[in-house]
Amino acid sequence: MRLDDLRLAFPTPAGPLPVLDGVSATIGRGEFVSIIGPSGCGKSTLFNSMAGLLQPDTGRLLIDDIDRTSSTAHCGYMPQQDLLFPWRTIAQNAALGLEVQGVPRREARQRARDLLPEFGLGGFEDARPSELSGGMRLRVALARTVLQERDVLLLDEPLGALDALTRTEMQDWLQRVWSRHRRTVIMVTHDVREATYLSDRILVLGPRPTRIVKDVTVRLARPRTIDTLTDPEFLRVEALLLRELRGDGSAGPRASNSPATT
Amino acid sequence: MAGRRSLAPSSQVSFPRARTSLARTSLARTVLPPLAALLVLLIGWQLYVMLSAVEPRILPSPLRVVEQGWRQREIIADHALATLTVTLIGFGISLVVAWVLAIWIDFVPGLRTAVLPLLVASQTLPIIAIAPLMILWFGFGLLPKVLVIVLVTFFPIALGLIEGFSAAGPRAGALLRAMGASRWQQFRYVRLPAALPRFFTALRIGITYAVVGAIFAEYVGAVEGLGIYMSLQKNSFRTDLVLAAVAVTAALSVSLFLVTYLVERLVVPWNRAGAGRG
Ligand SMILES: Nc1ncnc2c1ncn2[C@@H]1O[C@H](COP(=O)(O)OP(=O)(O)OP(=O)(O)O)[C@@H](O)[C@H]1O
Ligand SMILES: [Mg+2]
């Protein structure tokens, strides 16, 4: 997947508001890449243009050398909120993407049922979203994303709404899901440790209008465990990222506080 | 994980039971107080009529209303049936008009801003002035009554639908588009189900308006129906029979109102379940 000089400005009453200022990157097949950057710098905007929901003013998005700029349905997209629908059961929510693709309803729901136990949701197939905890809802949303069988998964702060304990649990679990399904994962996060723990590569975005200011490769063996957290490489990357985020002055308290919260 | 899984079946079994007992107590709580209040009112009314010896022509006692109404039960039932028929036909047409209009507005961008003000304007037409004109133009048959009912009921329903279609929010739409959903699929999977709770709220408002609209149109001029019956009895000073017809009208409205709850329970089960717990 290649991002080639993406630029985007939102029209506002006060004139155009530039958000993406030439974002370029190449992401390999099966890589786990985190995107980190100050709040409001344009991470969700970048994701929305990658998912084809927003049209960049200039620049291209290539997947397997095919131009996919402004076309939808090539990425599994998990938005910042879980967006489960109350009128669908858990299995039906997870199957939604397949049904949209035209998979017959019964088959789609059966495939969802088959996947849900792996996501720790066995026994909850026929429950309603309102009966689930935050961590479970998140896993349903992720199951819905994974089931779509797209090569690229875009996860916008998937763990952002969870408490610290559940979050650590979900990080391990996300790593397991990724290593089993081996999709390309691009994840937005505010959490430096989370990014370091999970990723092969971390792209650091600058303040708005944003572009990639740092591309960090994480050389840590997998699977990563509690011991990884004290590995010199882990500490090196973490320090590097913190310096990068703080250095530009607009990193804000969220980024610099994050080590304490994980 | 084992703990979570073992918890699941028991909690799912207990939900329906908890739900029905909850429904039963809340039914008793919603139905009993108004019935008790009505009873107190009727007793007070009865006592007042007995003690003050007011003429029945001016104010009949509730017992007299029931007694006289019962004597005329077959005639009143015929008129009630006529009113019910007109109401259901008119309301049925109104539903079709409202759905077609709302879906049309939902699918054609820009139409909403163009059409909504006209819809609002249609609601400011004074029905008291319009209904007699309708009779004048279209006679004593079904058509003028149906038109009056449609005019007074389609707006709340159409508005409920138009707003309901976007109730799931733009992010839900974005999610569906990212999945590759067509406009029609977005409508079917998100916009339509999201609109149903609001639709049923609007349906309840609409059905009560529909009965009132039917009675009103009949009152102005009709061959049969509770409205014309009331009008005739009033002209022959049978206040008791007017009130008997009013009571039947009220019973009709309340019954139709309750039917909407039953239908809602069948069509949008998730709404109740969600509202009950969160
Ligand atoms: N539709 C829009 N119209 C105008 N401005 C927008 C729109 N969407 C986003 N913006 C602006 O673009 C900037 C980037 O927004 P975006 O949501 O991409 O940030 P983010 O990095 O995802 O933030 P967060 O960390 O809070 O999720 C913000 O300043 C926001 O106000
Ligand atoms: Mg965001």
Side-chain angles (χ1 to χ4, degrees):
Chain A
M1 176 163 189
R2 222 173 87 218
L3 310 178
D4 188 11
D5 196 34
L6 291 178
R7 285 168 199 275
L8 189 146
F10 285 116
T12 64
L17 175 79
V19 175
L20 304 184
D21 186 29
V23 176
S24 301
T26 305
I27 291 159
R29 185 174 281 275
E31 250 187 326
F32 196 121
V33 176
S34 284
I35 293 180
I36 200 162
S39 193
C41 71
K43 300 180 294 293
S44 295
T45 305
L46 177 63
F47 260 34
N48 285 335
S49 23
M50 279 155 80
L53 298 172
L54 283 174
Q55 219 160 354
D57 301 326
T58 61
R60 291 186 309 161
L61 169 74
L62 302 167
I63 296 177
D64 294 333
D65 291 324
I66 302 167
D67 193 333
R68 300 281 190 183
T69 321
S70 328
S71 75
T72 56
H74 52 77
C75 289
Y77 168 71
M78 181 169 158
Q80 218 163 338
Q81 303 77 20
D82 57 38
L83 287 175
L84 301 180
F85 298 117
W87 52 86
R88 294 185 150 241
T89 63
I90 297 314
Q92 289 167 355
N93 264 294
L96 181 61
L98 290 176
E99 287 181 41
V100 166
Q101 287 173 31
V103 175
R105 187 193 287 206
R106 183 178 298 205
E107 190 196 327
R109 294 181 184 176
Q110 191 52 50
R111 272 158 71 182
R113 282 175 179 279
D114 294 343
L115 186 74
L116 285 176
E118 180 188 321
F119 281 63
L121 293 161
F124 289 93
E125 291 88 349
D126 298 315
R128 298 274 171 191
S130 58
E131 296 169 31
L132 268 54
S133 69
M136 292 162 86
R137 292 171 62 100
L138 178 119
R139 280 177 274 157
V140 180
L142 194 69
R144 176 177 64 193
T145 315
V146 168
L147 262 172
Q148 291 170 50
E149 308 258 332
R150 311 288 191 203
D151 294 329
V152 181
L153 302 187
L154 302 175
L155 314 180
D156 195 349
E157 289 197 58
L159 310 182
L162 300 179
D163 60 276
L165 201 66
T166 321
R167 189 165 180 156
T168 323
E169 213 177 285
M170 286 299 114
Q171 286 167 359
D172 278 323
W173 173 82
L174 192 60
Q175 177 177 226
R176 278 202 304 278
V177 169
W178 171 76
S179 47
R180 198 169 310 140
H181 293 270
R182 277 293 163 177
R183 308 280 171 71
T184 309
V185 171
I186 307 174
M187 177 180 84
V188 166
T189 178
H190 273 110
D191 189 323
V192 171
R193 301 193 100 195
E194 178 172 290
T196 316
Y197 187 66
L198 288 172
S199 317
D200 299 315
R201 253 171 83 205
I202 300 162
L203 306 178
V204 184
L205 290 179
R208 194 192 75 222
T210 199
R211 62 170 63 147
I212 292 170
V213 293
K214 193 100 192 165
D215 183 340
V216 186
T217 303
V218 186
R219 292 174 220 286
L220 283 166
R222 293 195 187 262
R224 297 178 184 164
T225 61
I226 278 226
D227 297 331
T228 313
L229 300 177
T230 49
D231 193 296
E233 166 73 358
F234 185 90
L235 299 173
R236 180 192 72 87
V237 172
E238 189 187 349
L240 185 76
L241 290 174
L242 282 175
R243 218 174 302 124
E244 195 59 51
L245 285 169
R246 238 178 240 163
D248 55 39
S250 54
R254 271 167 96 181
S256 43
N257 279 347
S258 52
T261 59
T262 311
Chain B
M1 204 89 333
R4 231 177 244 155
R5 216 167 279 171
S6 66
L7 192 101
S10 69
S11 66
Q12 275 175 347
V13 170
S14 69
F15 271 138
R17 214 176 291 150
R19 240 179 248 160
T20 42
S21 70
L22 193 79
R24 218 170 278 147
T25 51
S26 72
L27 192 72
R29 237 179 260 151
T30 48
V31 170
L32 286 183
L35 281 183
L38 184 65
L39 198 67
V40 168
L41 193 73
L42 289 176
I43 291 173
W45 175 3
Q46 181 76 31
L47 288 177
Y48 172 78
V49 170
M50 281 160 69
L51 295 177
S52 69
V54 61
E55 257 189 274
R57 201 150 57 90
I58 308 295
L59 183 68
S61 75
L63 283 179
R64 187 193 163 98
V65 169
V66 171
E67 184 201 3
Q68 294 299 315
W70 184 251
R71 275 197 202 157
Q72 291 242 359
R73 62 185 176 274
E74 277 169 23
I75 301 173
I76 292 180
D78 281 347
H79 286 297
L81 189 66
T83 300
L84 181 65
T85 312
V86 168
T87 303
L88 291 183
I89 294 176
F91 196 56
I93 293 176
S94 176
L95 280 178
V96 173
V97 171
W99 273 94
V100 168
L101 199 71
I103 292 175
W104 189 46
I105 287 179
D106 195 55
F107 271 85
V108 183
L111 204 60
R112 186 183 167 135
T113 41
V115 176
L116 220 50
L118 297 182
L119 295 186
V120 175
S122 81
Q123 290 308 290
T124 61
L125 298 176
I127 212 70
I128 288 198
I130 298 287
L133 290 181
M134 296 261 188
I135 308 282
L136 199 65
W137 294 333
F138 304 112
F140 292 107
L142 205 59
L143 185 62
K145 298 185 202 76
V146 165
L147 284 177
V148 168
I149 294 173
V150 172
L151 200 59
V152 296
T153 61
F154 87 95
F155 180 72
I157 300 171
L159 196 64
L161 283 172
I162 292 168
E163 289 178 349
F165 287 146
S166 18
R171 289 179 172 133
L175 174 71
L176 268 282
R177 272 190 293 137
M179 287 174 171
S182 64
R183 187 67 183 76
W184 160 246
Q185 281 178 318
Q186 288 175 48
F187 181 78
R188 175 178 156 200
Y189 290 121
V190 173
R191 301 180 78 83
L192 178 63
L196 290 180
R198 263 177 228 218
F199 167 68
F200 276 99
T201 306
L203 191 74
R204 272 190 274 287
I205 299 170
I207 194 77
T208 47
Y209 284 10
V211 177
V212 174
I215 300 279
F216 190 81
E218 289 168 353
Y219 202 91
V220 177
V223 180
E224 50 176 0
L226 287 171
I228 193 69
Y229 180 81
M230 285 179 207
S231 168
L232 293 175
Q233 298 308 326
K234 190 208 73 176
N235 290 341
S236 47
F237 302 103
R238 290 299 303 272
T239 314
D240 47 357
L241 290 177
V242 174
L243 289 175
V246 167
V248 171
T249 309
L252 203 66
S253 302
V254 172
S255 312
L256 291 172
F257 193 78
L258 292 179
V259 167
T260 64
Y261 273 104
L262 288 182
V263 177
E264 180 179 23
R265 199 174 288 192
L266 291 176
V267 178
V268 270
W270 75 83
N271 198 32
R272 257 168 41 79
R277 254 162 295 139

